[in-house]
């Protein structure tokens, strides 16, 4: 398993589990096609995110 530790690294999945000590207020943000989503900043020593369910594109589900 690869561990990403640099600023700007991303984790993508359909379900992501975050382990952290502190959180900041959630913010509403615009996503694609007029959809809205939530963004939350988490903090910890370390703050970790684990993919629980892999994100699949519709084109790959054949």
């Amino acid at each position: 398993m690869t561990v990403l530790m640099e600023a700007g690294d991303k984790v993508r999945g359909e379900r992501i589990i975050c382990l952290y000590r502190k959180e900041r207020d959630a913010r509403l943000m615009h996503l694609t096609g007029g959809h809205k989503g939530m963004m939350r900043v988490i903090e910890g020593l370390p703050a970790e995110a684990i993919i629980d369910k892999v994100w699949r594109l519709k084109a790959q589900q054949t």
Side-chain angles (χ1 to χ4, degrees), residues 3-4 6 10 14 16 19-22 25 27-29 36-38 50-51 60-61:
V3 178
L4 305 172
E6 299 299 322
K10 291 184 181 182
E14 190 170 327
I16 299 172
L19 308 170
Y20 57 93
R21 292 181 184 264
K22 296 178 185 178
D25 293 332
R27 290 184 278 174
L28 187 64
M29 58 183 292
K36 294 182 181 176
M38 299 296 289
I50 302 162
I51 298 173
Q60 295 177 349
Q61 291 183 355

Side-chain angles (χ1 to χ4, degrees), residues 32-49:
T32 59
H35 292 97
K36 294 182 181 176
M38 299 296 289
M39 183 176 88
R40 186 175 301 267
V41 176
I42 61 173
E43 298 174 348
L45 291 171
E48 296 181 359

Side-chain angles (χ1 to χ4, degrees), residues 8-24:
D9 290 346
K10 291 184 181 182
V11 176
R12 284 191 179 170
E14 190 170 327
R15 185 180 310 131
I16 299 172
I17 299 170
C18 297
L19 308 170
Y20 57 93
R21 292 181 184 264
K22 296 178 185 178
E23 65 183 10
R24 296 184 185 175

